[in-house]
Amino acid sequence: MVEDLWFAYRPGTWILKGVSLRVPPGGFWAIMGPSGAGKTTLMRILAGLLPIPRGRVFLLGHPLHEGLPPAMRRMVGYIPQQLGLVRGLTALENVLMGALARHDGWRTALGFFPRAEIERAYALLAALGLAEKAGEKVIRLSGGERQRVAIARTLMQDPQVILADEFVSDLDLPRAAQVLARVRELARERGLTVILNLHEIQLVQEFADHVAVLKEGRIVHESAAAALSWPALRELIEAPPEPSPVPAAPPLIAVDPRA
């Protein structure tokens, strides 16, 4: 749940302006909007990677604006747009990185995992159609295969929430649909809550339960995903912004200039 969330990287320049969202447990939500609308910033705040200067955010019932406890970090799986894979490692080794939080000590730091974890990582790759690629270095995999490795790594965490920032943006529609279909299937099997930044209305209509449109840092539309058409989305994006009072930004805050 997000209540009246404001965020600025520089004083006087708000990236998010009073965003409020209520995502039910088990929901499969899509966030849409033009470039620079604040989608990535919102996703990074939900992942606990940015501070919250104004507003409240609750994740799994915990007040995120008070800081995400270490014990909860593995409950939130975050897939950035660039995936965050280690390209010099194999697909299996990348997936095993998702289990690091469950194990301490030098053995796992050096890549020695219990057999049960290795078998589970293989099973996740197999479930995503990558069993034969387990020993392949990620740098040699196709874009779609890397997407699936990132999903498997995230599922290896045993998360309750998955946050994905336009992680299928480099794929054509058929391949992106295949990846999203598998993500939705696995999410429903495990009862996961999923929030995705997506830019293709066809994918949103087919796979999401609900959609919110973000424009210039504000939520300008919310509805069932199937109810949002391309003409309606275009009209929302092209409409002139509504003037509204904006408070002064506090001295902050973060150094990453991406929105």
Side-chain angles (χ1 to χ4, degrees):
M1 180 176 68
V2 179
E3 292 182 348
D4 196 27
L5 174 63
W6 295 74
F7 182 88
Y9 290 108
R10 294 180 297 275
T13 306
W14 290 104
I15 302 299
L16 298 177
K17 305 170 185 176
V19 170
S20 295
L21 288 172
R22 292 177 181 267
V23 181
F28 202 98
W29 276 48
I31 308 294
M32 301 193 75
S35 177
K39 301 186 301 297
T40 291
T41 294
L42 176 60
M43 197 67 71
R44 297 184 73 212
I45 289 174
L46 294 176
L49 300 176
L50 290 174
I52 300 171
R54 193 188 301 265
R56 301 197 304 166
V57 179
F58 294 87
L59 194 65
L60 301 172
H62 180 84
L64 192 60
H65 46 281
E66 296 180 4
L68 189 64
M72 288 188 64
R73 290 194 179 276
R74 73 179 182 88
M75 298 182 188
V76 181
Y78 175 55
I79 306 176
Q81 188 171 355
Q82 299 305 318
L83 303 181
L85 298 174
V86 182
R87 296 193 175 192
L89 297 181
T90 66
L92 180 66
E93 290 167 337
N94 270 279
V95 175
L96 284 168
M97 295 300 101
L100 282 174
R102 292 195 290 273
H103 302 281
D104 296 320
W106 63 269
R107 290 181 61 82
T108 49
L110 294 175
F112 297 98
F113 287 88
R115 179 177 295 275
E117 296 283 27
I118 295 172
E119 291 175 350
R120 186 164 177 232
Y122 267 119
L124 283 170
L125 286 171
L128 289 161
L130 292 174
E132 75 285 358
K133 301 288 186 177
E136 196 82 31
K137 288 187 182 296
V138 163
I139 198 169
R140 297 177 185 152
L141 300 181
S142 69
E145 289 167 344
R146 291 175 189 169
Q147 311 284 359
R148 286 179 280 165
V149 171
I151 295 164
R153 179 197 57 196
T154 300
L155 292 171
M156 193 73 182
Q157 290 179 224
D158 279 336
Q160 295 182 33
V161 176
I162 292 179
L163 307 169
D165 184 13
E166 296 195 8
F167 74 125
V168 294
S169 60
D170 293 334
L171 302 180
D172 58 33
L173 276 177
R175 290 175 184 259
Q178 290 176 357
V179 171
L180 286 173
R182 192 61 181 130
V183 170
R184 186 175 64 176
E185 181 181 353
L186 291 169
R188 288 179 174 174
E189 287 175 1
R190 296 163 179 246
L192 307 180
T193 301
V194 179
I195 305 175
L196 308 169
N197 282 344
L198 291 173
H199 67 277
E200 293 289 351
I201 187 66
Q202 300 97 316
L203 297 176
V204 171
Q205 291 170 331
E206 183 173 358
F207 295 105
D209 303 325
H210 198 90
V211 61
V213 179
L214 193 62
K215 177 184 175 182
E216 297 185 2
R218 302 182 188 277
I219 298 292
V220 295
H221 175 84
E222 263 194 68
S223 71
L228 180 63
S229 66
W230 165 240
L233 176 63
R234 183 173 59 189
E235 183 177 347
L236 285 167
I237 291 174
E238 294 178 354
E242 296 183 5
S244 60
V246 175
L252 186 85
I253 296 179
V255 296
D256 187 350
R258 293 177 298 171

